[in-house]
Amino acid sequence: ADRGPLAEDLLLIVGMNAWRRLGGITTANRRLASSVPSAAGAAAGARRRRVRAWPLALALSGGVATYVWSDEGAQRSIVFWSRMFPIYAHYRATEFLVSRWSPEEQDEAYSKLHRRYSHTVRDLVLQLKGFYTKLAQVCSTRDEFIPKEYMEWCKDMQDQVPPEMTPAQTRALVEQELGRPLSDVFVEWEDVPLGAASIGQVHRARLRDGRRVVVKVMYPDIERRFRADIKTVLDFCELAQPQHVPAFREIERQFLTEFDYASVPEQQQRATKYCEDSP
């Protein structure tokens, strides 16, 4: 189709701006970007710009796409928005349509939406795991916080989270952290996790001196994924429910302390001492 010079130059400008934000534009390209005519000038520009605009715009757009698909956080954000935004739009449209209905009719309309989308959201949480699992666990502690159709599977997340790593991956990670074979430290190691959570999983084991222990194994790169996912959810809240943004920022502050496994024994000792000293 003949899109015309205006559309071509606008695409070029968009590509240039995106590439500049990613830090992938050279000094020479900056000069080229600054020389792109304004939209008004482009409308009256010569048709010959078509020859140069499309290849360069496609190259820049390709660079942006390469960045997105090479960054896991960006990929996860795209998955989240592509699933959640249509659901959000349907809820908002329903809110407008039922505004003059009776309370009973409104409840029924929303119940239909809850039944339709609760499993879709559950599947998204199970796919992305990480922070979304933690968020479901937090929601499950307040029965009045979310509709019952969502609460049913959120409660399952308290103790039925599937592990992210296979036994071979877990063993390899533990050996990498220990710097020696697993058999040098443990005489027994249970490959089936005792439990799994949002940032790691727990395994029973027995040390070579006979002591039985549990070993918490943190998922690789989970902190980086958590931070990216929190940013995605905050962006979504600013659009959908801005009143909850302060609460989510507090959740972010608390969650990001959970990655220091080394401090857990000290925290447990303090909690035990506090309980012993209490009447």
Side-chain angles (χ1 to χ4, degrees):
D2 187 1
R3 299 176 183 270
L6 176 58
E8 292 164 358
D9 280 313
L10 287 176
L11 178 60
L12 177 62
I13 293 168
V14 170
M16 284 287 193
N17 288 338
W19 191 251
R20 185 187 293 112
R21 287 197 299 272
L22 296 176
I25 192 167
T26 63
T27 302
N29 284 337
R30 286 194 184 95
R31 290 197 296 269
L32 177 60
S34 65
S35 69
V36 176
S38 66
R47 299 284 291 180
R48 65 176 179 273
R49 287 199 301 272
R50 296 183 62 193
V51 176
R52 66 171 176 80
W54 277 107
L56 183 55
L58 288 174
L60 292 171
S61 300
V64 174
T66 299
Y67 167 79
V68 168
W69 290 111
S70 64
D71 181 82
E72 185 181 12
Q75 292 178 40
R76 292 169 65 83
S77 182
I78 289 173
V79 171
F80 176 87
W81 279 96
S82 66
R83 303 278 185 83
M84 289 303 299
F85 187 80
I87 297 174
Y88 162 72
H90 197 174
Y91 271 91
R92 288 304 300 269
T94 300
E95 181 183 14
F96 173 77
L97 291 172
V98 306
S99 59
R100 297 181 181 275
W101 294 7
S102 69
E104 293 77 15
E105 292 173 324
Q106 291 184 19
D107 289 344
E108 178 57 28
Y110 283 120
S111 293
K112 288 181 180 179
L113 290 182
H114 301 335
R115 291 192 295 270
R116 176 173 179 176
Y117 290 120
S118 64
H119 292 291
T120 301
V121 177
R122 179 201 61 190
D123 292 344
L124 178 64
V125 169
L126 290 174
Q127 176 185 349
L128 294 176
K129 301 184 177 72
F131 175 69
Y132 301 101
T133 300
K134 175 63 74 173
L135 201 54
Q137 291 172 335
V138 171
C139 290
S140 70
T141 63
R142 300 285 299 273
D143 288 342
E144 78 284 0
F145 193 65
I146 59 175
K148 63 180 180 62
E149 291 84 355
Y150 291 88
M151 182 60 70
E152 290 172 357
W153 60 261
C154 280
K155 286 188 178 295
D156 292 340
M157 295 292 166
Q158 293 180 359
D159 57 6
Q160 298 181 33
V161 178
E164 289 192 22
M165 296 188 296
T166 65
Q169 291 172 330
T170 305
R171 284 174 171 265
L173 182 59
V174 173
E175 289 181 342
Q176 177 183 338
E177 290 296 314
L178 294 175
R180 66 185 76 178
L182 212 63
S183 57
D184 286 358
V185 181
F186 305 102
V187 292
E188 292 179 9
W189 175 272
E190 292 189 9
D191 283 325
V192 178
L194 179 63
S198 57
I199 66 173
Q201 56 196 55
V202 179
H203 293 260
R204 287 193 182 99
R206 187 158 64 90
L207 298 173
R208 298 197 67 83
D209 63 7
R211 287 180 296 168
R212 295 192 176 277
V213 296
V214 292
V215 181
K216 298 179 70 174
V217 185
M218 188 180 297
Y219 298 133
D221 296 325
I222 187 62
E223 184 173 358
R224 181 172 56 82
R225 277 191 283 153
F226 243 70
R227 291 181 182 276
D229 293 343
I230 290 173
K231 176 63 168 61
T232 297
V233 173
L234 280 171
D235 288 343
F236 183 78
C237 273
E238 287 176 353
L239 168 70
Q241 294 181 313
Q243 69 272 22
H244 293 317
V245 170
F248 271 107
R249 293 201 181 278
E250 177 61 23
I251 289 173
E252 175 184 18
R253 187 186 68 80
Q254 294 179 5
F255 283 174
L256 294 181
T257 64
E258 296 187 8
F259 298 100
D260 185 10
Y261 275 2
S263 68
V264 172
E266 181 183 348
Q267 294 173 3
Q268 291 175 337
Q269 290 173 3
R270 287 203 305 267
T272 300
K273 186 176 185 306
Y274 176 80
C275 292
E276 290 174 348
D277 293 342
S278 298

